[in-house]
Amino acid sequence: MALTPLSLVLGVAIAWLAIGAAGLLRPHDIRFAGRALFGLGAVAALLLLAAGIWSLGQPVQAWVLPLGLPDLPLHVRLDPLASFFLALIGATAAGISVYSAGYFRAGEGALPGLLCLQYHVFLASMTMVVLADDAYTFMVAWETMALASYFLVTTQHRVPEIRKAGFLYLLLAHVGAIGILLCFGVLQGGSWQFTFDAMRAATLPPTWASIAFGLALFGFGAKAGLVPLHVWLPEAHPAAPSPVSALMSGVMLKTAIYGIVRVSFDLLHTPLWWWGAVALALGAFTAVFGAVFAAVQTDMKRLLAYSSIENIGVIVTGLGLAMLFRGLKMNALAALSLSAALYHCINHAQFKSLLFLCTGSVLHATGQRNLGKLGGLIHRMPWVAWLALVGTLAMAGLPPLNGFVSEWLLLQAYLFTPGLPHTIVNMLVPLGAAAFALTVALSAYVMVKFYGVIFLGRAREAILTQAHDAGWLERIGLAWLALGCVALGMAPVAVLDALDTINRSLIGTGIGAQTQNWWLLTPVDAQRASYSPLVFAAGMAIAIAITYLVVRRLYHGRVRRSDPWDCGFPAQTPRMQDTAEGFGQPIRHVFGPFFRIERELPTPFDKEPRYALRLGDRWWDWLYLPIARSVQETARVVGYLQQGRIALYLFYSFATLLTLLAFAL
Amino acid sequence: MNPALPLSTQLIHLGAAVLLLTSFAMLSQRRIVSLVNLFTVQGVALSVSTAIVAYTSGQHHLYYSAVLSVALKVLLLPWILHRLIARLNVRWDSEPLINIPTTMLFGIVLVVFAFGLAQPISQMSTTIARSTLGIALAVVMLSFLMMITRRKAISQVIGFLAMENGLFFAATSATYGMPMVVELGVALDVLIGMVILGVFFFQIREQFDSLDLQHLEQLRED
Amino acid sequence: MSTWAIIGLFEAVLAILIAPLFIGWIDQCRAWLQNRRGAGMLQPYRTIRKLLHKDAVIAHGASSLFRVSPYVQFGAMAMAAAIIPVFSVRAPLGVAADTIALVGVFALARVFIALAAMDIGTAFGSLGARREMLVGFLAEPALLMVFLTASMISQSTLLPTIADVLGQIHFTIFPSLAFAGIAFVMVLLAENARIPIDNPTTHLELTMIHEAMVLEYSARHLALIEWSSALKLFNYATIGIALFLPWGLAGRTGGALELALALPIAALKLVILGAALALVETLSAKLRIFRAPEFLATAFLLAVLGLLVHLLLGS
């Protein structure tokens, strides 16, 4: 068969499944299952990236695969939206797979062969989710994704906390899946055909369309981590091994975003404006919530998990703006917002995966996840530290890296809002912009805490002086992702051109970014706003170089080493540096009502004084525990039916028989 | 770009902005003396914008309103309040009920609500200052919020007076002022109210040795 | 290269060279207000020159990030000086970065200096870093909101264009800009570590915010940091002038005469602004550290209020 983008993508999916199965051949052999197979998986991911980029310029391709049940074959379709997300999966998975080839070592938790199988099935199922063109394929792929990731999360299943985290994850994934299933049920609009083409052709009255949107937001929001369905994220992401956390945080959350975009912009044609307002409000709240919680965490992976919640909130805010504009027929602005949201998707995939993988290396080298026991690792692990710095700066949204570009685009979209016809929304959108600005500032705070406490300062535990740097395979993986961050930051015009094909297919118009200069980004109009990361980076580099040369030429470069300033306290220990709790204390003070704080204070009479602080999420008390209690109550009440006497059970059957016969009359 | 508005409208907008700024600043102040000073500034802004409306619209009775405002809100009431503060010896408010940043956040939400509410109403009016109706409504709501979140009795009184300022501004901007009779009646009420409240403050302080209103809760039947 | 590009470059270099003089002027005004003689307006230059001659003494545990940070900070502030119009609206790099990127540049400098402070591993460094990030995380959104208000009025986010548009309008009172102006002054005081947020001349470590971060720096690194702090204050002052007092800037179509006039006008505005800053500093007292979030929250909410007033009144 001819080499079309769709066949290449399907080939990659099949290759991943084959690699996974091959892992079962020699499950204990780390060199085979670990290095070789993961390496092959990385090559396949690169092919997927190439296929995604290739197909962005191609017309839409669709196939019916000769698989599945009779009368329910699998439909697949490759359109611009799907190609973008496939490129995202490919680019991120390439880096993570190379890293994993070096990361998984013998004697830790699961068998390498089993890990290989679960990992590659996970990747293949995510590809199928993006390719799916009918509800059946979508749900099969979605469930496979959930199951594969569940097994990956519970790799170290002998630890009870990890088992509990896995259970919570599976539970919420299925609650979301029910929402998605019901959404598809509403979308078919009476035709009882579950292909996406049929759903596109069906026109729903506004009430049913809104119900479908609400179900989609609920279902996909549970997978993406929108408040209040976010509680599984901070438990599951830290519990999984680091490459899996990176894959979940960087890629799996984006498939949920893909789902929202697919349902609201493609299957429901034109979103209503007030859906956008709801999504905007929800996204803004999620973003602030995630940032505030991330700032007070003491476990490095939980911190990154909450930070993922924050970024998902930002993306959903962008989607909300896009829906708002599209509903009010302001298509050019809708294109701008949608591009900003999708750009942030791929940016987040790159820098979040980079940071999770760096924490993986730290965990490997030190065995510690607790921020209070790390520190000073920049001296022992220079490669990891400097690459993590790239990820940190990108996540904090600093120019000229990629995080800044998508945030810049989103702020430009916010600036156009005075032209809205509805007054209340007109006023609420600047509040959304204010919340967004607050989130960006908080994420810088979180990143300084993360990087500073782990890599800078002095080692808080003696064991840390034995830490070793990452291996060469891991370094390649990290470098690939860091390169992605830099490239996406320096070439925004190229990325926006690629995203414009998606805009044209979903909304009808593109941004029409003036591309007479490939190095200057002017999304709407050169008078209005422009940004050139290359000129910026070049300017900074020149300024720094000139300063350095002038200072060294006119003066000298002598350096002496001595002790740091101790203000007269002679016994400075490394434990006198800020702990993670200490660094988060201002946020705790300012945002007190957000948390449920439990403190254990020492008294003057304690022989060994202890100070403990536990910060809880209030959503447990407000939402989850009441539901869990009512479920238990109901189960208890229903339990009265079981009395253990045979006569009673015979009576149940007899009563049912009598009732049915009475109805037949 | 907006075409340039006539100077009088711009000055009225400026007066409205100063009013909003002072009522917002009152939410963030802890010192009671600053509250009284802010109230005085409000009075000045109010009188000036009333005078400008009187000048441009030709409604001469508004001049009398402006003079009355100056006499009452800039001179008499602040003097009474300063004397009260000196005799009661209160300088600082204790911590407000919810902390100051949260109060200000509620304030912003109220401002958005007031602005949104006022838009359709101000379309119906025909005065030159109708777009400032939203600001007047916001000032009323912010003062109400201030009354709710303060502990000392005297801050609540100042909030009440600020609310009256907001209502007066709303009347001027929406309908060219209330009938003179109503206005004189309101002014007299406010003055008498101040005198009576002054007497009450002394009684409260006699009883509880402090002007913190939480002590009034002890008076309930148990 | 065209003449305008050279003039623009000259503008940026002039800003970098004059910045310590601006700090010297403010210190001199403060001295006069406090009835002292003061050290003279050229004192910052003498300090920088003295520092450049010394040997750099670095703590044992410092990494290369510590040594790179002062250069990054100085580079970032120099970039900002190239973006902000000082006396003409043709800032050389004004097209490459707009006001949002400007906020990003300030954030970049802040993050690097905070990381350098945490690098040493003493309690004071991380204290300073934590407090600086606290001030920064509230001041940055306030600054962004001020810029958004100005952008909405002038329909552009490029700072030279904003200055141009606001300067061309015949005298109009913009209430929303009044709110934004007050918020901007509060942010200026907070971000540049002036009273009432931080005392630039304190020597008590527990009251420091900015100084605690640079406690370990010496010699040429400290010289660069002092210069970047001066440049940061100068940048903020010129941003304030461009947004709120833009008359007198040489416009896009101006000729040589307008340019020649713009220089003394800009100098006059800076002199007045410096004196006003010194007055504010002398009249205020330093706030307790946990009152600082309230101060900044007020600034943030005032800026948001300015935006809302603009939407309501259309001005």
Side-chain angles (χ1 to χ4, degrees):
Chain A
M1 65 176 72
L3 186 67
T4 62
L6 184 54
S7 55
L8 185 57
V9 171
L10 285 171
V12 168
I14 295 175
W16 271 334
L17 286 172
I19 293 174
L24 289 176
L25 291 177
R26 307 241 292 266
H28 295 273
D29 186 349
I30 187 73
R31 293 257 292 283
F32 174 68
R35 308 268 145 90
L37 289 183
F38 274 94
L40 278 178
V43 171
L46 283 174
L47 284 175
L48 185 61
L49 171 63
I53 297 179
W54 180 19
S55 66
L56 268 176
Q58 306 282 323
V60 173
Q61 290 178 294
W63 260 12
V64 178
L65 295 178
L67 294 170
L69 299 175
D71 284 346
L72 272 182
L74 303 180
H75 293 81
V76 291
R77 189 164 182 265
L78 190 60
D79 65 350
L81 183 65
S83 357
F84 173 73
F85 277 94
L86 287 173
L88 191 155
I89 296 176
T92 320
I96 300 178
S97 294
V98 173
Y99 180 90
S100 314
Y103 180 79
F104 290 121
R105 285 165 217 206
E108 295 178 353
L111 302 172
L114 212 52
L115 266 177
C116 178
L117 171 70
Q118 293 158 357
Y119 182 92
H120 289 101
V121 167
F122 188 31
L123 284 176
S125 57
M126 282 197 282
T127 317
M128 287 312 290
V129 163
V130 172
L131 274 182
D133 197 34
D134 74 292
Y136 172 60
T137 319
F138 192 91
M139 289 313 297
V140 167
W142 191 261
E143 285 295 320
T144 318
M145 192 173 79
L147 277 179
S149 50
Y150 168 73
F151 285 116
L152 282 169
V153 165
T154 51
T155 305
Q156 295 175 321
H157 53 91
R158 301 192 203 287
V159 180
E161 282 88 25
I162 294 187
R163 281 203 304 271
K164 279 204 277 201
F167 175 72
L168 184 62
Y169 169 53
L170 200 60
L171 180 66
L172 277 167
H174 280 93
V175 166
I178 295 177
I180 301 173
L181 202 57
L182 288 174
C183 169
F184 283 141
V186 171
L187 278 176
Q188 45 82 20
S191 65
W192 296 107
Q193 293 286 322
F194 287 93
T195 60
F196 284 1
D197 279 326
M199 293 182 193
R200 284 182 197 108
T203 40
L204 296 170
T207 339
W208 281 109
S210 307
I211 292 179
F213 176 74
L215 284 168
L217 197 61
F218 174 80
F220 289 114
K223 180 63 93 181
L226 288 178
V227 168
L229 299 163
H230 64 284
V231 286
W232 61 271
L233 242 166
E235 313 288 333
H237 284 217
S242 305
V244 176
S245 308
L247 211 52
M248 284 170 65
S249 211
V251 188
M252 191 180 74
L253 298 184
K254 310 303 180 303
T255 56
I257 300 288
Y258 163 80
I260 299 179
V261 176
R262 176 67 78 189
V263 168
S264 40
F265 281 94
D266 194 13
L267 300 180
L268 285 172
H269 295 292
T270 310
L272 298 178
W273 69 268
W274 61 268
W275 299 350
V278 167
L280 184 63
L282 202 57
F285 184 71
T286 308
V288 176
F289 179 89
V292 167
F293 266 81
V296 297
Q297 295 302 316
T298 55
D299 176 327
M300 58 183 179
K301 289 173 84 167
R302 264 181 98 96
L303 186 148
L304 289 178
Y306 274 110
S307 173
S308 292
I309 297 181
E310 174 218 323
N311 280 289
I312 289 289
V314 167
I315 297 173
V316 171
T317 313
L319 289 181
L321 267 182
M323 285 186 235
L324 186 61
F325 286 133
R326 180 85 174 97
L328 296 172
K329 304 274 184 286
M330 300 158 88
N331 287 347
L333 297 174
L336 180 64
S337 321
L338 189 60
S339 301
L342 291 177
Y343 205 145
H344 201 76
C345 275
I346 191 164
N347 287 343
H348 180 243
Q350 294 289 309
F351 56 64
K352 188 48 69 67
S353 314
L354 176 60
L355 286 175
F356 260 115
L357 295 182
C358 290
T359 61
S361 295
V362 169
L363 189 56
H364 233 283
T366 63
Q368 290 294 343
R369 251 168 58 183
N370 190 347
L371 284 171
K373 300 214 163 78
L374 294 168
L377 289 172
I378 193 171
H379 302 286
R380 303 287 316 175
M381 307 172 69
W383 274 90
V384 174
W386 287 101
L387 289 170
L389 186 63
V390 173
T392 308
L393 294 176
M395 178 120 104
L398 299 176
L401 294 173
N402 57 353
F404 178 72
V405 180
S406 45
E407 283 165 2
W408 187 82
L409 283 170
L410 203 51
L411 274 170
Q412 293 291 338
Y414 270 114
L415 272 175
F416 282 98
T417 51
L420 296 177
H422 300 263
T423 346
I424 282 283
V425 182
N426 221 355
M427 302 264 175
L428 285 178
V429 175
L431 288 184
F436 180 60
L438 196 62
T439 313
V440 172
L442 267 173
S443 69
Y445 189 104
V446 172
M447 281 300 106
V448 168
K449 166 177 165 163
F450 173 78
Y451 194 79
V453 174
I454 295 180
F455 291 106
L456 300 176
R458 294 192 288 166
R460 290 180 179 80
E461 295 277 316
I463 194 76
L464 295 178
T465 49
Q466 314 288 335
H468 58 88
D469 205 353
W472 66 277
L473 276 170
E474 292 156 320
R475 286 182 208 177
I476 296 180
L478 293 174
W480 167 259
L481 290 169
L483 199 66
C485 290
V486 172
L488 285 169
M490 294 290 179
V493 180
V495 178
L496 277 183
D497 275 343
L499 287 173
D500 247 0
T501 47
I502 304 180
N503 289 330
R504 275 191 285 272
S505 79
L506 288 180
I507 299 180
T509 58
I511 304 177
Q514 271 71 357
T515 46
Q516 67 266 39
N517 303 316
W518 57 272
W519 47 268
L520 184 69
L521 177 62
T522 51
V524 181
D525 166 9
Q527 264 300 88
R528 174 119 195 166
S530 64
Y531 168 61
S532 173
L534 286 168
V535 173
F536 184 90
M540 276 212 60
I542 293 177
I544 295 177
I546 292 181
T547 318
Y548 182 77
L549 288 172
V550 166
V551 167
R552 282 303 182 94
R553 180 127 289 259
L554 293 180
Y555 301 95
H556 58 83
R558 288 197 295 269
V559 164
R560 269 191 289 141
R561 293 270 172 175
S562 101
D563 291 329
W565 171 252
D566 60 10
C567 197
F569 296 125
Q572 292 267 335
T573 68
R575 293 203 60 85
M576 286 182 183
Q577 297 170 96
D578 251 9
T579 54
E581 290 95 337
F583 208 89
Q585 189 249 4
I587 303 293
R588 211 167 57 233
H589 183 91
V590 171
F591 286 103
F594 266 76
F595 310 105
R596 181 171 33 92
I597 303 183
E598 288 161 19
R599 261 204 199 100
E600 242 180 69
L601 294 172
T603 65
F605 309 104
D606 284 340
K607 283 221 184 57
E608 288 182 351
R610 277 180 58 85
Y611 172 80
L613 181 76
R614 269 175 296 274
L615 286 173
D617 190 348
R618 285 194 195 258
W619 287 102
W620 279 108
D621 302 321
W622 290 341
L623 190 61
Y624 291 89
L625 289 179
I627 294 182
R629 268 188 287 250
S630 60
V631 166
Q632 265 187 321
E633 256 319 289
T634 323
R636 199 176 58 83
V637 166
V638 169
Y640 284 132
L641 284 176
Q642 184 199 31
Q643 296 288 348
R645 288 167 52 185
I646 302 233
L648 195 59
Y649 296 156
L650 286 174
F651 174 67
Y652 287 154
S653 314
F654 187 58
T656 317
L657 190 60
L658 282 181
T659 324
L660 288 173
L661 287 175
F663 268 116
L665 280 179
Chain B
M1 250 336 297
N2 299 311
L5 299 165
L7 185 65
S8 50
T9 320
Q10 288 182 32
L11 286 173
I12 294 172
H13 284 180
L14 185 65
V18 170
L19 221 64
L20 187 59
L21 185 65
T22 43
S23 48
F24 204 73
M26 278 197 202
L27 277 181
S28 70
Q29 283 301 318
R30 280 200 168 78
R31 300 179 56 211
I32 299 195
V33 175
S34 332
L35 284 182
V36 178
N37 293 339
L38 284 170
F39 175 68
T40 320
V41 170
Q42 263 195 353
V44 170
L46 196 59
S47 330
V48 168
S49 55
T50 314
I52 294 177
V53 173
Y55 176 69
T56 35
S57 63
Q59 307 262 333
H60 290 286
H61 71 91
L62 283 177
Y63 280 122
Y64 296 129
S65 303
V67 171
L68 196 61
S69 298
V70 171
L72 214 56
K73 293 178 186 160
V74 181
L75 299 174
L76 189 60
L77 281 174
W79 180 75
I80 295 182
L81 285 167
H82 275 298
R83 269 196 41 169
L84 261 177
I85 290 172
R87 293 211 15 219
L88 291 171
N89 208 15
V90 285
R91 299 255 153 217
W92 288 87
D93 204 349
S94 40
E95 281 296 308
L97 277 172
I98 37 183
N99 67 346
I100 286 188
T102 321
T103 324
M104 289 200 281
L105 207 61
F106 280 149
I108 287 277
V109 174
L110 283 175
V111 167
V112 172
F113 180 63
F115 283 4
L117 202 61
Q119 284 284 49
I121 302 177
S122 55
Q123 308 295 345
M124 295 195 286
S125 153
T126 52
T127 60
I128 57 166
R130 61 176 183 271
S131 49
T132 52
L133 187 62
I135 293 191
L137 213 58
V139 169
V140 170
M141 294 207 181
L142 286 176
S143 321
F144 214 141
L145 182 66
M146 192 181 124
M147 278 177 65
I148 296 174
T149 58
R150 293 286 168 158
R151 288 222 188 123
K152 287 259 166 67
I154 196 151
S155 337
Q156 298 192 336
V157 167
I158 297 178
F160 169 69
L161 292 172
M163 200 158 77
E164 205 259 328
N165 274 353
L167 283 170
F168 186 74
F169 188 70
T172 342
S173 65
T175 61
Y176 286 145
M178 309 173 265
M180 216 46 200
V181 163
V182 175
E183 199 161 315
L184 282 174
V186 171
L188 194 63
D189 274 336
V190 171
L191 202 54
I192 302 286
M194 282 303 305
V195 173
I196 296 181
L197 281 169
V199 171
F200 260 131
F201 288 161
F202 279 107
Q203 292 300 325
I204 294 176
R205 209 181 59 144
E206 285 284 306
Q207 181 72 12
F208 296 109
D209 258 334
S210 137
L211 272 184
D212 195 330
L213 285 174
Q214 281 195 319
H215 295 193
L216 280 174
E217 291 169 27
Q218 293 173 8
L219 291 174
R220 60 168 185 250
E221 301 268 338
D222 262 332
Chain C
M1 273 221 268
S2 74
T3 2
W4 281 111
I6 298 184
I7 292 179
L9 213 56
F10 168 67
E11 190 178 4
V13 173
L14 188 68
I16 296 177
L17 292 176
I18 288 190
L21 183 62
F22 187 60
I23 292 270
W25 165 247
I26 295 180
D27 286 339
Q28 186 66 35
C29 286
R30 227 184 26 217
W32 284 332
L33 283 167
Q34 292 169 1
N35 219 3
R36 294 184 279 123
R37 257 180 54 190
M41 289 194 277
L42 298 179
Q43 182 62 19
Y45 290 108
R46 289 185 213 121
T47 313
I48 291 176
R49 189 157 165 273
K50 173 183 78 169
L51 285 170
L52 283 170
H53 277 298
K54 299 196 170 196
D55 283 1
V57 179
I58 301 184
H60 289 300
S63 65
S64 29
L65 185 68
F66 184 78
R67 295 170 70 167
V68 162
S69 277
Y71 293 100
V72 172
Q73 228 208 347
F74 190 79
M77 289 305 144
M79 271 298 293
I83 297 172
I84 303 170
V86 179
F87 55 81
S88 100
V89 294
R90 288 169 154 267
L93 291 179
V95 182
D98 63 347
T99 49
I100 303 176
L102 199 59
V103 173
V105 168
F106 288 131
L108 184 67
R110 185 184 7 203
V111 165
F112 262 95
I113 206 72
L115 287 178
M118 295 187 79
D119 194 30
I120 302 295
T122 59
F124 302 114
S126 35
L127 177 96
R130 181 190 348 136
R131 287 178 172 182
E132 173 76 8
M133 292 313 290
L134 172 68
V135 168
F137 107 79
L138 281 169
E140 188 183 313
L143 189 61
L144 204 56
M145 287 291 120
V146 167
F147 281 143
L148 263 117
T149 313
S151 308
M152 277 202 192
I153 295 179
S154 54
Q155 296 292 310
S156 163
T157 57
L158 296 167
L159 195 52
T161 318
I162 296 179
D164 206 11
V165 168
L166 289 177
Q168 306 284 4
I169 305 175
H170 285 290
F171 184 72
T172 314
I173 306 171
F174 284 110
S176 50
L177 277 185
F179 279 92
I182 298 178
F184 184 78
V185 170
M186 293 169 88
V187 169
L188 189 154
L189 291 172
E191 282 273 306
N192 291 289
R194 317 299 294 183
I195 295 179
I197 296 288
D198 186 16
N199 186 352
T201 57
T202 184
H203 48 271
L204 301 167
E205 290 88 350
L206 288 177
T207 64
M208 292 176 178
I209 300 181
H210 182 78
E211 296 293 317
M213 290 195 299
V214 301
L215 214 49
E216 293 297 328
Y217 277 115
S218 58
R220 58 183 180 278
H221 299 133
L222 187 57
L224 281 175
I225 291 185
E226 294 280 319
W227 203 332
S228 348
S229 309
L231 196 50
K232 185 171 179 180
L233 182 57
F234 186 82
N235 283 336
Y236 266 86
T238 40
I239 294 175
I241 292 177
L243 286 180
F244 304 111
L245 302 167
W247 313 285
L249 285 174
R252 257 174 225 291
T253 51
L257 182 64
E258 200 177 332
L259 200 58
L261 271 179
L263 267 163
I265 294 180
L268 183 66
K269 286 190 231 171
L270 282 170
V271 162
I272 298 176
L273 196 59
L277 259 176
L279 187 66
V280 167
E281 285 211 272
T282 314
L283 290 176
S284 323
K286 181 172 161 335
L287 291 171
R288 279 174 52 199
I289 187 67
F290 280 117
R291 299 275 193 246
E294 287 176 14
F295 181 81
L296 287 165
T298 314
F300 178 50
L301 291 170
L302 274 176
V304 174
L305 207 57
L307 203 60
L308 291 173
V309 167
H310 169 73
L311 288 175
L312 178 76
L313 295 178
S315 61

